[in-house]
Amino acid sequence: MPQKALITGITGQDGAYLAEFLLGKGYEVHGMVRRASTENFERIGHLRDRLTLHQADLLDQLSIVNLLDGVQPDEVYNLAAQSFVPTSWLQPLLTGEFTALGVTRMLEAVRLVNPKIRFYQASSSEMFGAVDREPQDEQTPFYPRSPYGVAKVYGHWITINYRESYDIFACSGILFNHESPLRGKEFVTRKVTDAVARIKLGLQKKLLLGNLDAARDWGFSGDYVRAMWLMLAQDEPDDYVIATGRKHTVRQLVETAFSCAGLDWEKYVEVDPALIRPAEVHNLLGDASRARAKLSWEPEVSFEQLILMMVEADLDRVQRQLDGRGPEPAGYTAWQNK
Ligand code: NAP
Ligand code: GDD
């Protein structure tokens, strides 16, 4: 019998990479999707006939219980969340419902349906926020700086609490920023690589950005979903920082991305004060020593390779649209082999 995995957030960036990774490992993969008036399966289109999708919602406890009861998964990966930091100031209550209480609803369903299910929670380096030390590891105190970060701290601790209270195999992956050609276009890496492609191909003239001095430890989503799976494959549950150990500023990101297309970024980029956040996380740099030692996990894609991969993918996509050939289905294998 193949192992059965259920992924919430399967239509998101990480959901698509994880689904493809688990299918490659021989898993039977199920995905939770919320009802929408039009289907939003762009990122998993190339996997569609190998997945089983079920409607449920993080806001609806009974739908989650029924889903777990029907699927009877061995592993649950809880990736669903309101994940865009600026939106969390505009919709703080909804962010709390999805990103914080949604985790309790998932854990309650595991506890009620089958406490032997292995559970992965998508925690975030955004929990570290206003850091007082560098690099950050599993012992670094949290000081979240956005309603999103605060909600993720709740999700992190409730995961630990269910592990300690009910002996559930629950792991929390504290993942630093990770990106890919499937990244949402509002996040800074993809906003930049999409703009580079559009500027190069004559469709855009300027790129407006916020804080160019913010620094992040950026890795590749395809590497990070492998770490999620490794966490659930251990003998004991634990929490792990996943990061590359290298950081770059937004300015360096912009410089790298524009130079991939032979462009001088200073001719195109302008700072828009409206994009500065009410409270900023200025610096994040992770120390993934525990993951290296216990999971034998290593990132395989460097920052420079990642940005080049994203610029090439966006150039290809925009060119295809200009040629009237439509978007290329972009999955893990497609871009990994580039
Ligand atoms: P993403 O692309 O924004 O995907 C979020 C997913 O959550 C989408 O599939 C979305 O579905 C789903 N979702 C949102 N609200 C839902 C609800 N009420 N019920 C059911 N599904 C819902 O995020 P990502 O980058 O893949 O990140 C995956 C997870 O890791 C998130 O929890 C994020 O906060 C966390 N994380 C991400 C990073 C990173 O750098 N990428 C770092 C640390 C932690 P729709 O398609 O219907 O909107
Ligand atoms: N989005 C965006 N747009 N960010 C900008 C811009 C812009 O125009 N200009 C500068 N930035 C800066 C932000 O102020 C922030 O410091 C940095 O770029 C990264 O922003 P995002 O790419 O939006 O990511 P994030 O760090 O806020 O959050 C992501 O990473 C977290 C892990 O640390 C998201 O994926 C979260 O879901 C995730 O938990």
Side-chain angles (χ1 to χ4, degrees):
M1 283 275 281
Q3 287 273 99
K4 250 191 259 181
L6 171 71
I7 303 173
T8 75
I10 195 163
T11 55
Q13 170 189 253
D14 290 4
Y17 279 94
L18 180 63
E20 186 154 358
F21 176 82
L22 293 176
L23 286 168
K25 291 274 170 205
Y27 276 69
E28 181 180 313
V29 178
H30 295 255
M32 176 178 119
V33 294
R34 52 180 168 168
R35 196 255 157 201
S37 64
T38 47
E39 280 190 351
N40 168 27
F41 301 156
E42 210 176 290
R43 293 188 178 101
I44 49 172
H46 60 300
L47 307 173
R48 188 64 192 84
D49 54 3
R50 298 160 69 200
L51 303 171
T52 313
L53 302 181
H54 309 262
Q55 274 188 15
D57 199 297
L58 282 181
L59 297 182
D60 192 296
Q61 180 73 70
L62 190 58
S63 73
I64 300 170
V65 171
N66 286 338
L67 171 60
L68 263 63
D69 197 32
V71 173
Q72 292 291 332
D74 301 291
E75 298 174 1
V76 169
Y77 295 86
N78 184 36
L79 309 185
Q82 190 302 95
S83 75
F84 189 47
V85 172
T87 296
S88 76
W89 278 286
L90 301 175
Q91 300 178 355
L93 297 177
L94 194 65
T95 299
E97 283 288 349
F98 287 6
T99 306
L101 284 178
V103 187
T104 311
R105 294 191 190 99
M106 291 302 303
L107 285 161
E108 274 292 275
V110 167
R111 185 177 74 80
L112 290 169
V113 172
N114 176 9
K116 297 265 177 274
I117 292 172
R118 295 190 170 207
F119 182 83
Y120 173 84
Q121 167 57 18
S123 285
S124 164
S125 53
E126 187 72 13
M127 301 189 303
F128 294 126
V131 293
D132 65 356
R133 66 198 71 174
E134 189 175 276
Q136 296 87 48
D137 64 16
E138 295 81 2
Q139 266 66 55
T140 305
F142 299 140
Y143 192 143
R145 295 269 286 167
S146 61
Y148 169 82
V150 173
K152 281 288 179 187
V153 171
Y154 174 93
H156 182 75
W157 280 109
I158 200 71
T159 301
I160 294 172
N161 181 263
Y162 270 58
R163 180 166 79 215
E164 294 176 354
S165 305
Y166 303 115
D167 209 18
I168 290 173
F169 193 111
C171 297
S172 188
I174 307 174
L175 272 50
F176 282 62
N177 298 51
H178 46 281
E179 321 292 316
S180 74
L182 302 187
R183 185 60 142 153
K185 281 190 196 161
E186 68 272 54
F187 298 93
V188 74
T189 51
R190 186 74 200 290
K191 181 174 173 180
V192 169
T193 62
D194 179 58
V196 165
R198 293 175 59 79
I199 289 170
K200 181 77 181 177
L201 297 172
L203 297 177
Q204 188 172 325
K205 290 194 171 13
K206 290 278 172 218
L207 170 61
L208 299 180
L209 291 174
N211 180 9
L212 300 184
D213 295 319
R216 291 290 184 275
D217 179 331
W218 278 295
F220 173 50
S221 175
D223 282 338
Y224 286 39
V225 299
R226 193 172 67 249
M228 299 174 188
W229 170 75
L230 283 167
M231 286 179 215
L232 297 197
Q234 303 307 302
D235 291 337
E236 297 296 330
D238 207 344
D239 307 318
Y240 297 88
V241 159
I242 301 298
T244 70
R246 285 177 72 203
K247 72 173 179 183
H248 295 85
T249 60
V250 173
R251 185 177 285 98
Q252 289 169 321
L253 156 72
V254 165
E255 202 174 348
T256 306
F258 276 78
S259 72
C260 287
L263 297 171
D264 173 5
W265 70 277
E266 290 184 282
K267 290 188 183 150
Y268 306 99
V269 173
E270 287 175 12
V271 171
D272 178 355
L275 293 169
I276 305 287
R277 298 179 178 186
E280 177 65 287
V281 172
H282 294 286
N283 261 302
L284 289 175
L285 177 66
D287 173 359
S289 300
R290 179 186 287 179
R292 284 173 204 272
K294 289 176 71 179
L295 307 178
S296 301
W297 177 84
E298 290 282 347
E300 288 173 5
V301 176
S302 71
F303 172 77
E304 291 76 14
Q305 289 168 326
L306 170 68
I307 301 307
L308 179 62
M309 180 202 304
M310 293 176 69
V311 169
E312 283 183 344
D314 276 322
L315 278 168
D316 187 45
R317 185 183 49 81
V318 176
Q319 187 65 60
R320 281 175 165 273
Q321 282 164 0
L322 282 174
D323 296 347
R325 284 183 288 144
E328 169 96 319
Y332 179 66
T333 338
W335 297 113
Q336 206 190 32
N337 292 338
K338 279 239 159 189

